[in-house]
Amino acid sequence: MPYYDLKCADCEQEFNAKASMDERSAQAIRCPACGSFRLETVFRKVNVVKSRGDLPGSCPVDGGGCSGGCCGLAR
Ligand SMILES: [Zn+2]
């Protein structure tokens, strides 16, 4: 099950929840601080591409192109 970084839209409490997509869409997750269902997903940018090096030719293009945007950013 994936973890989500969630932020309460009511009290702005940020917390971590483990839930399936179904539970997310069924609003089975509540804010631990105020019990609100109005939660926003917090997307944290993880730089996976950068850790592989900054070489312009290091992007795998065989799988249908660059999904991380490294092709465009490297030049
Ligand atoms: Zn809250």
Side-chain angles (χ1 to χ4, degrees), residues 7-13 15 30-39:
K7 182 179 171 188
C8 176
D10 286 335
C11 70
E12 305 212 322
Q13 167 86 31
F15 63 99
R30 295 172 59 163
C31 170
C34 72
S36 169
F37 289 105
R38 295 178 54 215
L39 305 175

Side-chain angles (χ1 to χ4, degrees), residues 19-37:
S20 67
M21 288 296 250
D22 284 347
E23 283 174 316
R24 270 283 284 149
S25 53
Q27 295 190 307
I29 310 170
R30 295 172 59 163
C31 170
C34 72
S36 169
F37 289 105

Side-chain angles (χ1 to χ4, degrees), residues 37-54:
F37 289 105
R38 295 178 54 215
L39 305 175
E40 301 164 357
T41 306
V42 180
F43 290 104
R44 302 199 191 282
K45 301 221 165 165
V46 183
N47 257 329
V48 181
V49 174
K50 270 242 163 129
S51 65
R52 297 191 55 198
D54 297 317

